[in-house]
């Protein structure tokens, strides 16, 4: 076990050192070779970017989700802003950040690496944040009252109550977010933005180069490498986390204990126990100091000054929002005109229709499958690697084959793009449903079985209410993922042949490639309006229902 950890640290250092080479476009730029012997190195570099982005996403989740759930004032800003951030496509972030990161690390490839990691981060963070926010808002009231009664500090409340309660959903959403990062790997490593092409060595850019060269053999090697990589990450990272997270289920009676060989090996190894004995005193001291620093003060009644502060806060927020909206409208209208706005709006409605069809299909197909996996540890052990491969495998790696199929069969991309969007977005709903089903206490399931609740009655009385909040989280993130996936699903190519669907995703993709800033702003702005509007009208109301009526208490 110790040798394995040392070997891993050495590999990380060796791969990370490649990020500090010279980079000075257009004279000195990295390139990608289609020689399959380079794939292990490319896969290692892509994997390192993915885990760095996951670390930043986790940190962002804790800070942002906690602030949104614990502060009413912050919630009024942060939750709508999270809706907007989720709706902004990865290409929209790349358009703004690539040049800035390259300028920040001038002369070093680290700038392009940072841009790529940031793009992957934008494909991971929002789903995890939504899950953590919902978990904090759905803490059982009796446990919340107990924490208040015992005057737990904010740090103690977080580590003893809030983090354990959110653990199962956070792990499964982290797994799904990691898969979402793979989906946009090609876009974040083979960057075509503002009429410039930047290539960062990795498995995503390898696939982009293979598509451009129409090299099916190279594509097959990349697909095989991806499958092996996903299975290895599942075995050595996600399965141990899922096994450990199952310990934090809220229940009175224990069900079948989840076991996994790596967790058993870790617990039986002497090195982790030795490291634990050395580190434990330091951890306890830090925990004690943080508990003292975040001690809860005596509460005071809400004052008139606080209400006046809320009025001022809301007024300032409204003025700033209106000012930003007016500035964006003036910029767009002065550059493209009202007719272009109407045209882009119609394209947005077309993409929105595809998203709604996708959500209905995903709900009908994957909800019962997710519940079956979540209720059965044995089925979960068997199906998790399969589900993980399907969910994590970058669906756009398969787009060239789909494009060939559409060309040969004459299928319009207006219909085919829904299939391509589903390949990247439907897994958000499945993973959330699995996490929600696993969170239902075994004692409630045993009680339902003992009183004879079966099939439809069990779904109405226990399963449906028990997974409702997780389903809402999955539907929100699947909706955002589908809008994001439209960027790469409505405009696909194979060599010199390009298929285009009528939709807002293709509109943004073309504008980004050309460097057409007014149309980029118009497309991204309209996509944000569609996503935020639907979230406000539909998903937020369902969230409120989940927090008030369908919660375990």
């Amino acid at each position: 076990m110790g040798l394995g950890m040392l070997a891993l640290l050495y590999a990380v250092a060796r791969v990370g050192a490649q990020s500090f080479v010279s980079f000075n476009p257009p004279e000195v730029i990295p390139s990608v070779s289609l020689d399959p012997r380079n794939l292990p190195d490319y896969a290692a570099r892509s994997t390192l970017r993915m885990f760095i982005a996951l670390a930043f996403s986790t940190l962002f989740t804790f800070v942002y989700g906690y602030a949104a759930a614990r502060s009413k004032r912050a919630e009024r800003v942060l939750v709508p802003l999270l809706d907007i951030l989720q709706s902004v496509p990865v290409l929209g972030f790349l358009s703004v950040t690539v040049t800035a990161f390259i300028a920040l690390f001038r002369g070093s490839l680290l700038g392009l690496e940072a841009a790529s990691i940031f793009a992957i981060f934008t494909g991971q963070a929002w789903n995890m944040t939504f899950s953590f926010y919902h978990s904090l808002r759905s803490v059982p009231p009796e446990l919340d009252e107990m924490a208040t009664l015992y005057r737990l500090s904010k740090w103690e409340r977080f580590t003893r109550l809030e983090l354990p309660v959110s653990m199962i959903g956070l792990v499964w959403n982290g797994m799904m977010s990691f898969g979402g990062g793979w989906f946009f790997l090609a876009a974040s490593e083979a960057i075509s933005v503002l009429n410039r092409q930047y290539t960062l060595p990795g498995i995503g850019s390898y696939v982009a180069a293979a598509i451009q060269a129409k090299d099916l053999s190279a594509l097959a090697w990349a697909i095989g490498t991806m499958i092996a990589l996903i299975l290895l990450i599942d075995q050595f990272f996600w399965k141990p986390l899922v096994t450990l997270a199952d310990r934090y289920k809220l229940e009175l009676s224990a069900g079948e204990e989840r076991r996994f060989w790596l967790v058993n090996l870790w617990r039986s190894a002497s090195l982790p126990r030795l490291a634990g004995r050395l580190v434990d005193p330091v951890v306890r001291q830090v925990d004690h100091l943080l508990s003292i620093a975040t001690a809860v003060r005596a509460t005071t009644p809400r004052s008139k000054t606080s209400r006046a502060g809320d009025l001022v806060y809301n007024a300032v927020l409204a003025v700033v929002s209106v000012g930003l909206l007016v500035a964006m409208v003036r910029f767009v209208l002065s550059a493209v005109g009202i007719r272009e706005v109407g045209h882009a709006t119609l394209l947005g409605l077309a993409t929105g229709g595809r998203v709604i069809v996708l959500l209905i299909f995903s709900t009908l197909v994957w909800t019962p499958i997710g519940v079956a996996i979540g209720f059965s540890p044995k089925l979960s052990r068997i199906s998790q690697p399969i589900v993980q491969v399907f969910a994590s495998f970058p669906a756009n790696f398969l787009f060239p084959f789909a494009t060939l199929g559409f060309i040969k069969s004459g299928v319009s991309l207006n219909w085919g793009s829904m299939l391509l969007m589903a390949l990247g977005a439907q897994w958000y709903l499945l993973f959330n449903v699995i996490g929600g089903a696993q969170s239902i206490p075994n004692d409630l399931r045993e009680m339902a079985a003992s009183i004879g609740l079966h099939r439809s009655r069990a779904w109405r009385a226990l399963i449906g209410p028990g997974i409702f909040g997780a389903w809402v989280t999955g539907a929100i993130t699947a909706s955002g993922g589908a809008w994001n996936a439209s960027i790469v699903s409505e405009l696909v190519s194979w060599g010199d042949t390009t298929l285009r669907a009528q939709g807002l995703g293709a509109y943004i993709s073309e504008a980004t490639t050309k460097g057409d800033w007014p149309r980029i702003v118009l497309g991204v702005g309209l996509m944000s309006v569609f996503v935020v509007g639907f979230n406000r009208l539909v998903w937020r109301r369902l969230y409120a229902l989940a927090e008030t009526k369908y919660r375990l208490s």
Side-chain angles (χ1 to χ4, degrees), residues 68-79:
R70 290 290 170 251
S71 170
K72 290 291 184 183
R73 287 183 179 179
E75 184 183 31
R76 290 197 289 270
V77 176
L78 296 181
V79 174

Side-chain angles (χ1 to χ4, degrees), residues 60-136:
F60 177 88
T61 293
F62 289 147
V63 174
Y64 198 103
Y66 189 88
R70 290 290 170 251
S71 170
K72 290 291 184 183
R73 287 183 179 179
E75 184 183 31
R76 290 197 289 270
V77 176
L78 296 181
V79 174
L81 182 59
L82 189 62
D83 290 337
I84 294 173
L85 290 172
Q86 180 194 212
S87 66
V88 176
V90 170
L91 289 180
F93 288 108
L94 281 173
S95 302
V96 178
T97 58
V98 168
T99 305
F101 276 117
I102 292 175
L104 183 63
F105 299 94
R106 189 176 299 277
S108 172
L109 191 62
L110 194 60
L112 198 58
E113 291 277 4
S116 176
I117 291 169
F118 182 77
I120 298 170
F121 163 85
T122 63
Q124 294 179 347
W126 324 133
N127 180 45
M128 297 170 62
T129 305
F130 268 121
S131 173
F132 187 60
Y133 165 77
H134 171 69
S135 296
L136 294 183

Side-chain angles (χ1 to χ4, degrees), residues 4-76:
M5 293 297 295
L6 291 175
L8 178 62
L9 291 175
Y10 172 77
V12 170
R14 183 73 179 268
V15 173
Q18 300 181 67
S19 301
F20 295 91
V21 300
S22 176
F23 174 67
N24 187 24
E27 291 83 12
V28 181
I29 57 174
S31 60
V32 174
S33 169
L34 292 182
D35 187 344
R37 288 174 294 183
N38 293 317
L39 273 173
D41 179 59
Y42 292 163
R45 297 183 69 170
S46 295
T47 303
L48 182 60
R49 294 178 195 121
M50 291 286 292
F51 274 103
I52 292 174
L54 181 65
F56 281 111
S57 297
T58 304
L59 179 62
F60 177 88
T61 293
F62 289 147
V63 174
Y64 198 103
Y66 189 88
R70 290 290 170 251
S71 170
K72 290 291 184 183
R73 287 183 179 179
E75 184 183 31
R76 290 197 289 270

Side-chain angles (χ1 to χ4, degrees), residues 367 371 375 437 440 455 457-468:
T367 300
V371 169
F375 276 6
I440 297 178
R455 297 180 182 177
R457 294 180 64 193
W459 274 89
R460 288 197 304 270
L462 175 63
I463 300 173
I467 67 170
F468 185 73

Side-chain angles (χ1 to χ4, degrees), residues 491-507:
L491 191 69
V492 295
S493 61
W494 174 249
D496 298 327
T497 303
T498 299
L499 298 181
R500 185 184 189 278
Q502 295 297 315
L504 193 57
Y507 182 89

